[in-house]
Amino acid sequence: MGATDGIINGTNGTNSTDGTNSVNGVNGRAAEVPATGHTLGQEFTDLVIKSMGPKTPPRIRTVMGSFIQHIHDFAREVNLTADEWMLGVEMINAAGKMSDNKRNEGQLMCDVIGLESLVDAITYQEAVKSNKPLTASAILGPFWRSDTPTRPNGTTITFDTPEDGVVAFMTGQVTSAETGEPLVGAVVDVWQASTNGLYEQQDAAQQEHNLRGKFVTDAEGRYSFYCLRPTPYPVPGDGPAGKLLDLMDRHHWRPAHIHLIIEAEGHKAVTTQIFDSESKYLEDDSVFAVKDGLTVNFVPRKNDPKAAVQLTYDISLALDTK
Ligand code: BEZ
Ligand code: FE
C-alpha cells in the first residue's frame, strides 16, 4: 500500500453504513466523503478546508485554508507520488531532529527555497512604501543569539582573529527616517562568521560570543567597532537543506556579509545584512538575501595599526506608528 492510500481509500476513517467514508475531522468531528473515494478534485480540498471548526481563530482559518488549498493544488499539479511525498516528510523529520538552540535546519530549508526572504519582503513592504530613505531589511538567518553581550563603542568583536582574517573598523550613524535626527541610545546588534565559514556556536575553536556584539549609539547617534572583513561561506550542507540544494544542482555559498539588527525607541527595528561589494556570490546567494542598497564598500584604513580596512554604514529607521 502506498503512503497516501490510507487517505485516498478512506482507511484513515471508518466505513459507515450509508455509503460514505467518514474521515476524522478537526475537533473530533467527522466530515463525509462520497464512497467513490474521489479525493482528486476541489471537492475534497473544500471538504478538508471546511473541516475547521467554529472555534478556529480567523487568522488560522485564513492561513490554514490557503495552505491546504495550495498544497493540494501543488500535489495535483505535479502528480506527487507517494515516494516523493514521503521523501519530503523524511526531510522535515530530519530537519527537526538536527535542530536545537544552536542550529535551525527547518529555517535553513525555508531559506534555500527563498521563503524567509519572501516573508521578510512582505513584512517590510509597508515601511518601504513610505518613500523615506530607509535602511533595507534582509533575513535573520539561523545564527543570531538573543544573549549577545553589549560592548563599548570602539572595541572589537574579533577575539580569535584567524591568520587569514582582515580586521575592519566599522562605524556609522543611526538616524530617524522621519526627522533625519540622530537616534541616541539605539542598539546595533552585529554578528558574523569567521573566515572558516563558521559562527562561534558552530565552532569549538572560537570563544563564546566571538564575532558578536551589541553597541549603543552615542550622543550623536554613532556606533563603532572592529570586526572582520567578511568572507563568503557555504551554508551547512550536512542536513536536508544541503540535500535539497544538491538535488536542485545548486551551490551552497553565501556572499561575504555582516548581520545587523538595529533597534531604537519609537522606531521600527530592522533586521538586515550588508554585503561586501567585492564578494563572489552577490548574484546567486544560496538563500536569496541580497538586495539593492545592502552592498557596501570597504576602503583601506590609514593610521590605525588595528585595522586594514574601514566601512562607514549609516542606518535610517522608520517611525513606529503602532
Ligand atoms: C546566515 O547568513 O547566517 C544564513 C542565512 C540563511 C541560511 C543560512 C545562513
Ligand atoms: Fe550569515
Side-chain angles (χ1 to χ4, degrees):
M1 189 169 92
T4 52
D5 292 358
I7 294 171
I8 291 171
N9 298 333
T11 50
N12 274 2
T14 51
N15 285 336
S16 67
T17 49
D18 65 356
T20 59
N21 295 331
S22 82
V23 177
N24 292 328
V26 180
N27 301 337
R29 286 167 309 102
E32 297 303 306
V33 191
T36 51
H38 187 69
T39 55
L40 263 179
Q42 182 60 34
E43 246 177 67
F44 175 64
T45 301
D46 288 341
L47 181 94
V48 177
I49 293 171
K50 281 187 194 139
S51 71
M52 283 186 272
K55 294 195 206 105
T56 309
R59 181 65 182 161
I60 299 288
R61 186 177 297 280
T62 303
V63 172
M64 284 313 299
S66 179
F67 181 74
I68 293 163
Q69 181 68 55
H70 283 273
I71 208 157
H72 281 209
D73 284 345
F74 151 74
R76 282 186 282 259
E77 185 182 317
V78 302
N79 272 321
L80 194 68
T81 68
D83 286 347
E84 289 163 346
W85 166 73
M86 189 44 84
L87 176 65
V89 168
E90 279 164 4
M91 287 172 95
I92 291 169
N93 291 345
K97 281 185 195 152
M98 71 195 304
S99 294
D100 54 25
N101 62 356
K102 291 191 169 174
R103 175 149 192 190
N104 192 334
E105 186 72 12
Q107 184 172 2
L108 187 52
M109 285 181 77
C110 292
D111 290 338
V112 302
I113 57 167
L115 185 58
E116 190 179 356
S117 263
L118 177 60
V119 170
D120 165 60
I122 293 166
T123 305
Y124 285 93
Q125 65 186 338
E126 281 310 311
V128 171
K129 273 191 216 145
S130 77
N131 275 340
K132 296 280 190 318
L134 291 182
T135 292
S137 62
I139 63 174
L140 176 69
F143 298 117
W144 177 72
R145 281 183 66 162
S146 59
D147 56 352
T148 294
T150 301
R151 309 184 192 281
N153 278 309
T155 63
T156 192
I157 62 169
T158 171
F159 297 100
D160 304 300
T161 304
E163 274 187 15
D164 59 350
V166 174
V167 175
F169 179 73
M170 178 167 164
T171 186
Q173 189 180 35
V174 182
T175 54
S176 169
E178 194 64 25
T179 62
E181 292 298 311
L183 293 171
V184 181
V187 178
V188 180
D189 182 350
V190 54
W191 68 105
Q192 65 175 162
S194 190
T195 53
N196 62 0
L198 298 175
Y199 287 83
E200 50 82 24
Q201 70 264 58
Q202 301 173 282
D203 185 3
Q206 294 180 49
Q207 71 178 65
E208 192 167 24
H209 297 301
N210 186 40
L211 297 173
R212 297 176 188 273
K214 285 184 180 173
F215 297 87
V216 180
T217 57
D218 64 17
E220 291 174 350
R222 293 187 193 282
Y223 69 90
S224 60
F225 55 85
Y226 291 89
C227 60
L228 289 179
R229 181 173 189 166
T231 40
Y233 66 82
V235 298
D238 56 342
K243 184 172 180 173
L244 206 50
L245 285 170
D246 296 340
L247 281 170
M248 295 188 290
D249 187 24
R250 282 173 42 194
H251 71 70
H252 294 203
W253 288 83
R254 296 222 56 212
H257 62 276
I258 298 174
H259 295 264
L260 303 155
I261 297 177
I262 309 99
E263 295 177 306
E265 181 107 25
H267 290 75
K268 284 203 175 83
V270 68
T271 299
T272 195
Q273 301 181 25
I274 48 177
F275 299 90
D276 186 338
S277 60
E278 291 177 23
S279 176
K280 255 185 109 173
Y281 309 112
L282 288 171
E283 305 298 326
D284 56 350
D285 180 2
S286 60
V287 299
F288 307 98
V290 182
K291 280 187 193 172
D292 286 348
L294 293 179
T295 47
V296 293
N297 299 318
F298 288 85
V299 296
R301 181 162 172 85
K302 298 191 184 89
N303 306 321
D304 184 351
K306 287 194 276 184
V309 292
Q310 67 182 39
L311 170 67
T312 302
Y313 186 67
D314 294 333
I315 293 151
S316 169
L317 298 183
L319 263 193
D320 193 358
T321 47
K322 270 192 278 159

